[in-house]
């Protein structure tokens, strides 16, 4: 396979490339992905490039974070196009390991989590964050970057990884990259390709509902009333609603029913046909 930028498929080759950069005193940024790259991923690469001398992006569709019956087989795999986008963005190295490289025979370790991993995504996908945390811990240990950038669209994942890095004393700065949106406000996601044209049109409602929810809370509306309105709007717009809620921005702990008095985040997960969409918005309380 010939790719338009330097690439490594084995930990050994990855480490050799990184050791050469370290020997020259260069800093390393890292953007882990599952491929099917879009402008949101490229913005994370740009952020890493602004901070570090060299940037590694990984493309690995991680089987450990999919449950049986989820879309692991159908997940879009577009390595050549991904490599072209990364090369165009100025990324220095693509790391695309095989499943066997990441999970060799006998692999027997899984990270278990609590804190920000509890509830929300975990209610619908109980296996998900241990699969993410295990692969991210491995990737961070393989690359050993100075900074790693994760999309804020997966806000709970970002907090879980920030917690993981702190708890395991990983010497890396975990940064969040802002969500990139389509013109109608839909957050970019590799899974948007699953949407039919009609569902794609309806999908834009998620951002509108979350933005209204965040605005109401910032204006001092009682959290339980604003949440009830957002839930009703989501139920009227989508085929199912997994959650539509406001949480503490730092820990994802539930807020009280009253007006919000600290930085918060509104988060939603909805279903359109068989596609599940998630999104979130920051809430900055007035005064
Ligand atoms: O957000 C993703 O694409 C994945 O969950 C990640 C962080 C690359 C781990 O597989």
């Amino acid at each position: 396979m010939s790719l338009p930028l330097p690439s490594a498929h084995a930990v050994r080759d990855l480490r050799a490339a990184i050791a050469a950069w370290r020997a020259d005193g260069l800093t390393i940024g890292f953007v882990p992905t599952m491929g099917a790259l879009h402008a949101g991923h490229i913005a994370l690469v740009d952020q890493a490039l602004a901070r570090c001398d060299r940037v590694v992006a990984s493309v690995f569709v991680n089987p450990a974070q999919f449950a049986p019956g989820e879309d692991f087989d159908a997940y879009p795999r577009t390595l050549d196009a991904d490599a072209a986008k990364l090369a165009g963005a100025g990324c220095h190295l693509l790391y695309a390991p095989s499943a066997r490289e990441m999970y060799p025979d006998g692999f027997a370790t899984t990270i278990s989590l609590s804190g920000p991993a509890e509830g929300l995504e975990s209610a619908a996908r109980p296996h998900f964050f241990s699969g993410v945390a295990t692969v991210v811990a491995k990737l961070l240990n393989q690359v050993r970057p100075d900074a790693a950038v994760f999309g804020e669209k997966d806000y709970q994942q970002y907090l879980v990884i920030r917690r993981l890095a702190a708890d395991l004393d990983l010497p890396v700065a975990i940064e969040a990259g802002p969500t990139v949106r389509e013109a109608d406000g839909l957050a970019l996601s590799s899974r948007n390709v699953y949407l039919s044209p009609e569902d794609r049109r309806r999908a834009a409602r998620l951002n509108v509902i979350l933005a209204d929810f965040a605005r109401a809370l910032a204006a001092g509306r009682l959290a339980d009333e604003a949440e009830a309105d957002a839930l009703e709007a989501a139920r009227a717009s989508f085929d199912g609603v997994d959650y539509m809620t406001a949480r503490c921005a730092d820990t994802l702990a539930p807020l009280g029913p009253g007006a919000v008095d600290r930085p918060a985040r509104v988060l939603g997960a909805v279903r359109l046909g068989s596609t599940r969409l998630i999104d979130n918005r920051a809430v900055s309380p007035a005064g």
Side-chain angles (χ1 to χ4, degrees):
M1 168 176 21
S2 159
L3 295 172
L5 79 169
S7 57
H9 304 278
V11 182
R12 192 188 48 244
D13 300 334
L14 171 76
R15 288 214 162 124
I18 288 171
W21 290 335
R22 289 288 185 202
D24 287 341
L26 300 174
T27 56
I28 314 285
F30 179 45
V31 179
T33 82
M34 296 207 302
L37 301 184
H38 49 64
H41 296 108
I42 299 307
L44 303 181
V45 171
D46 290 343
Q47 191 168 325
L49 281 166
R51 185 190 161 118
C52 297
D53 301 316
R54 294 289 179 270
V55 170
V56 179
S58 63
V59 171
F60 178 63
V61 184
N62 173 33
Q65 67 191 75
F66 292 79
E70 289 189 346
D71 57 343
F72 175 71
D73 290 332
Y75 199 84
R77 286 163 173 84
T78 56
L79 190 64
D80 288 341
D82 293 343
K85 288 177 189 168
L86 291 170
C91 178
H92 299 93
L93 180 71
L94 165 62
Y95 177 45
S98 64
R100 204 170 178 74
E101 182 75 9
M102 291 301 272
Y103 300 115
D105 282 349
F107 187 88
T109 300
T110 304
I111 292 179
S112 86
L113 307 140
S114 55
E118 286 171 350
L120 304 176
E121 285 304 286
S122 292
R125 310 180 70 195
H127 59 282
F128 176 66
F129 283 123
S130 64
V132 169
T134 304
V135 82
V136 169
K138 282 177 65 70
L139 288 166
L140 290 175
N141 190 38
Q142 292 169 349
V143 178
R144 301 201 185 158
D146 298 282
V149 191
F150 293 83
E152 225 172 41
K153 191 201 134 258
D154 299 305
Y155 189 75
Q156 187 177 15
Q157 170 175 278
Y158 158 65
L159 289 188
V160 165
I161 289 163
R162 204 175 67 173
R163 186 76 258 162
L164 165 94
D167 290 351
L168 298 185
D169 306 308
L170 302 180
V172 56
I174 302 296
E175 284 194 3
T179 302
V180 178
R181 298 179 181 279
E182 302 274 13
D184 65 358
L186 177 67
L188 296 192
S189 162
S190 305
R191 289 189 165 101
N192 290 351
V193 297
Y194 297 154
L195 295 166
S196 67
E198 166 62 8
D199 285 347
R200 167 64 191 83
R201 199 184 49 73
R202 294 164 66 204
R205 281 285 297 153
L206 180 56
N207 169 58
V208 174
I209 293 167
L210 286 165
D212 287 349
F213 189 4
R215 215 174 295 117
L217 292 175
R221 186 118 199 269
L222 299 181
D224 55 355
E225 290 180 10
E227 188 165 306
D229 285 354
L231 200 54
E232 190 183 317
R235 286 192 177 128
S237 303
F238 302 109
D239 302 326
V241 181
D242 285 354
Y243 56 83
M244 180 61 64
T245 186
R247 297 292 178 94
C248 170
D250 251 3
T251 60
L252 293 183
L255 299 167
V260 172
D261 58 0
R262 60 201 136 135
R265 203 93 195 173
V266 291
L267 306 103
V270 301
R271 292 179 191 269
L272 275 171
S274 57
T275 304
R276 188 166 179 278
L277 300 178
I278 64 171
D279 199 355
N280 65 88
R281 284 270 177 181
V283 182
S284 307

